[in-house]
Amino acid sequence: MRTRRSGSHEHTTDITGLVSSAGGRLPGRISVPPAPAEALFPRTVPPRGHRRRGHGWAPTPCRVATYELTSDQAPVVWPLIPGDGLPPWGAELGYDALSGGTFYCDPMGWVADDDIPVTNPNIFIFGKPGRGKSALVKAFILRMVRFGYRGLVLGDVKDEYEGLSRALGVEPFRIGPGLTGRVNPLDVGPLGDGWSNLDAAEQRRRVTVITGRWLTLLRGLAGSQAVPFGPTEERVLTRVLRELVGWEQGATQLAPVTVPEVWAVLDGPTSSLVRDTRHADRQHFLDDTRLLRDALGALCDGSLRGMFDGPSTVHPDWRAPIQTLSLRALHDTGNQAAVGIALMCLNSWGQAMRELAGPGDHRIVLRDEAWLQTRLSLDAVMSLDANLRLSRRDGDVQVVTYHKPSDPLSAGDSGSQAAQIARDLLHLSDIRVLMGQDGEVASELGNLLGLTRMQQDVVTGWAMQEKGRALWLVGDRKFKVQTLLTPLEQRLTYTNDAVAG
Ligand SMILES: Nc1ncnc2c1ncn2[C@@H]1O[C@H](COP(=O)(O)OP(=O)(O)OP(=O)(O)O)[C@@H](O)[C@H]1O
Ligand SMILES: [Mg+2]
């Protein structure tokens, strides 16, 4: 308001006068009622504080540090709020707790998109028992089936994928003591199909792949029983496997090979085998391969008898939406080492079955409870490592579940070469899902996965408050995700029967 005094007259040229001279009327002053005494902030404080002793009055307003940064740089200050979200492709899993948006998972789509820092579609899931690892996998498989993916569960240790399999109309296979289900880990697989039509170079390539896979498995088998596997063992087995499969004799079809056959050849070596493997005589050969024969014997005798020592009786229909191989009966015997060896055999067999997948035949291959295998030995870790490395070639999404990030390291002393190899295994996957963990595991998360303190707190705090919560590491991006289950999925994923009972 502006007023001007002139003599005894007072001319008002304020806005109210102007408006009223034009016949208008401004609304009166709005009176603000005093804040009630119980309000959270009943009195406002002026910017410089109250001008009174002890009330923090400042002659100038205090300076606030100001930083300017782009949205690209913002994740450095707020590491859990990355710039862009992920595209709405693939399985709708739940919600992103930071943005409130829907969280989608599409590993193959992520690999194909150069803007997403993911170069392989493997997923490692870590979490304390009961946090929802298996439930997440089941929901993921179910939601990817509608995009044409199929599931393959290599070793369902607790029979918990059977419900899902039956819901999809597929009868699961069961492998265990006294059961008819048998898998030949030395199966030739689809690489042996149409053998006589292949040219010599392709035959040679395929035999190398097949025997390479078998050797990795047999090395893992020997290693898991503390039997040394050096160049001599490798040469002997390569020679035996090539002879049994019939390639060097120019067979028109690769012969199926079984572990007892390999054992029998080692136990009764021909003179040419003794000579070719540079042993002085038969006795020298037998002495040299005794431990190896004993290691192979573990698959033919004892707790694994009848499961991996003959031609496969399990013939999955690869067009069905899911195939599961249950190991519950074996698991119930309480022999964890046997379960670990069985998982190793199934993993190798599963790799064989996927060696010649047709274009567009995408599969989610699950290796649940992989810690049972990897803690057997370094060779067992290397066997899993080999199985996973080949996934990019055949277009499968390999899912591995562990309890703690250090699980694979239990194969060797910390700091040893074994631990280094196990650590490298963790880097075989660009997608890592960290479900709830106890506080003691926090430093592991920092050391092995490079999580900051704030990210560790998400895993040991926020993720422990609700099942299905996880910190997702997608390349170098992080997402706080809550998986949501539909009522049907809650029934199919329910694993607390024993506890509830
Ligand atoms: N997102 C979720 N919402 C509600 N319930 C869930 C969720 N995820 C898992 N559950 C429930 O929690 C229980 C344990 O889940 P699950 O068996 O998947 O755990 P796990 O981590 O695989 O445990 P383990 O290591 O023992 O195999 C199940 O009964 C399941 O239904
Ligand atoms: Mg589980």
Side-chain angles (χ1 to χ4, degrees), residues 141-333:
I141 293 178
L142 260 184
R143 294 168 195 189
M144 288 304 266
V145 161
R146 76 174 99 141
F147 296 104
Y149 280 76
R150 298 180 176 100
L152 173 60
V153 182
L154 291 174
D156 177 3
V157 176
K158 302 179 206 152
D159 258 10
E160 51 172 311
Y161 291 84
E162 294 205 335
L164 175 69
S165 181
R166 293 210 173 91
L168 291 169
V170 182
E171 195 51 33
F173 291 100
R174 287 187 168 175
I175 297 165
L179 299 176
T180 52
R182 191 174 51 217
V183 159
N184 179 12
L186 303 184
D187 219 318
V188 172
L191 283 185
D193 294 350
W195 191 253
S196 52
N197 299 329
L198 302 173
D199 61 38
E202 178 62 10
Q203 285 188 346
R204 173 180 290 277
R205 190 191 71 79
R206 290 192 181 191
V207 163
T208 310
V209 173
I210 294 168
T211 48
R213 164 166 46 82
W214 290 347
L215 272 179
T216 307
L217 172 69
L218 295 176
R219 180 186 282 122
L221 196 65
S224 59
Q225 292 163 85
V227 170
F229 195 98
T232 310
E233 285 76 14
E234 179 162 338
R235 187 188 343 197
V236 169
L237 277 180
T238 307
R239 170 75 170 68
V240 171
L241 291 170
R242 290 198 169 189
E243 185 174 307
L244 282 173
V245 85
W247 175 62
E248 280 172 346
Q249 295 79 37
T252 53
Q253 181 72 36
L254 289 188
V257 178
T258 61
V259 175
E261 283 169 0
V262 176
W263 188 89
V265 173
L266 293 176
D267 201 47
T270 58
S271 47
S272 67
L273 177 61
V274 172
R275 200 178 48 246
D276 290 355
T277 53
R278 296 212 290 271
H279 285 93
D281 54 26
R282 194 166 178 276
Q283 193 54 47
H284 182 208
F285 180 94
L286 288 175
D287 290 344
D288 224 18
T289 58
R290 174 167 296 115
L291 284 175
L292 185 59
R293 274 176 289 142
D294 288 348
L296 294 183
L299 280 190
C300 313
D301 281 318
S303 31
L304 290 165
R305 186 191 190 119
M307 294 174 221
F308 302 103
D309 53 1
S312 298
T313 58
V314 167
H315 300 292
D317 171 6
W318 295 112
R319 287 159 310 167
I322 191 167
Q323 289 296 346
T324 72
L325 293 106
S326 165
L327 286 177
R328 169 80 180 264
L330 178 62
H331 186 250
D332 284 353
T333 63

Side-chain angles (χ1 to χ4, degrees), residues 129-135 158 369 403 467-468 483 485 493-495:
R131 295 315 314 166
K133 299 181 291 295
S134 307
K158 302 179 206 152
E369 313 274 359
H403 288 159
K467 283 175 183 163
T483 305
L485 301 177
T493 59
Y494 189 73
T495 53

